[in-house]
Amino acid sequence: MESNTKYFPQTRAALQSLKETAALLDEAADKNVSKNTELNEKLTTLRQQINEKVSRIDSVIETLSKAVK
């Protein structure tokens, strides 16, 4: 039993290190999810702005086409 007890502190330290690493990974994952959500919202806004501008350009082209006729 004495030969096994020398490994217990090392095992405890390794487990603590794994817990700390898991906590850091969890925090990083949460930040990435938040950043991804923010980027998706920006992308949606940009797509809406592009669609509005395309619609206005189409309207101008249609108006100019009618004026030429």
Side-chain angles (χ1 to χ4, degrees):
M1 188 66 154
E2 285 181 27
S3 63
N4 288 340
T5 58
K6 68 180 181 180
Y7 296 111
F8 292 151
Q10 294 171 348
T11 302
R12 189 178 311 122
L15 288 172
Q16 183 60 35
S17 177
L18 287 173
K19 282 183 182 179
E20 291 169 3
T21 302
L24 289 173
L25 289 171
D26 191 42
E27 184 180 333
D30 286 345
K31 285 180 183 177
N32 283 335
V33 167
S34 296
K35 187 68 175 175
N36 192 24
T37 300
E38 180 184 325
L39 289 173
N40 281 334
E41 289 171 358
K42 286 182 180 180
L43 181 60
T44 299
T45 300
L46 285 172
R47 284 182 175 155
Q48 288 173 344
Q49 291 173 351
I50 289 170
N51 287 336
E52 289 171 7
K53 290 180 182 186
V54 165
S55 179
R56 279 196 270 161
I57 290 170
D58 284 344
S59 177
V60 168
I61 290 172
E62 187 178 327
T63 301
L64 290 173
S65 292
K66 288 179 182 177
V68 169
K69 290 179 185 179

